[in-house]
């Protein structure tokens, strides 16, 4: 799980251009969107594409995706669950 979260953080920095300094003080249970890391709806679309590209996990149900995108921990658990099914 830690390696997966590390890869997700790399994606946030390299592909979504989130400053590494922001991630350094960002907790894995803090919100990715809004007041948390500050991602927006365009970032959500790009992140969904990157999740599919990097982990072969497709987010089809928007309600399910919305919950998965709440925090880094929830996103990592979502990816693991989808890869196991």
């Amino acid at each position: 799980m830690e390696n997966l979260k590390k890869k997700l953080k790399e994606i946030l920095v390299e592909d979504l251009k989130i400053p590494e300094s922001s991630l350094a003080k960002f907790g894995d249970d803090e919100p990715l969107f809004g007041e948390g890391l500050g991602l927006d709806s365009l970032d959500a679309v790009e992140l969904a594409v990157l999740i599919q590209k990097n982990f072969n996990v497709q987010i089809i149900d928007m309600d399910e995706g919305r919950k998965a995108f709440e925090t880094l921990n929830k996103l990592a658990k979502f990816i693991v669950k989808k890869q196991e099914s």
Side-chain angles (χ1 to χ4, degrees):
M1 185 70 78
E2 292 305 313
N3 285 340
L4 176 58
K5 288 192 281 188
K6 181 179 176 187
K7 176 65 179 171
L8 287 169
K9 288 178 180 179
E10 288 173 6
I11 289 170
L12 291 171
V13 170
E14 294 172 11
D15 296 306
L16 295 183
K17 309 300 182 205
I18 301 297
E20 259 186 278
S21 59
S22 296
L23 275 181
K25 55 187 173 188
F26 182 75
D28 294 348
D29 285 317
E30 294 185 51
L32 292 172
F33 290 84
E35 296 176 15
L37 196 56
L39 299 181
D40 60 23
S41 58
L42 293 176
D43 294 324
V45 173
E46 191 169 350
L47 187 56
V49 171
L50 291 165
I51 297 299
Q52 183 173 2
K53 177 182 169 187
N54 287 280
F55 304 105
N56 199 27
V57 170
Q58 190 172 10
I59 300 171
I60 298 172
D61 181 345
M62 291 310 295
D63 286 334
E64 186 179 46
R66 189 173 296 120
K67 290 179 183 175
F69 283 175
E70 287 179 358
T71 68
L72 195 66
N73 272 332
K74 287 184 180 181
L75 183 55
K77 289 177 185 173
F78 173 80
I79 291 169
V80 169
K81 181 180 171 187
K82 288 295 185 177
Q83 287 178 330
E84 291 175 347
S85 61

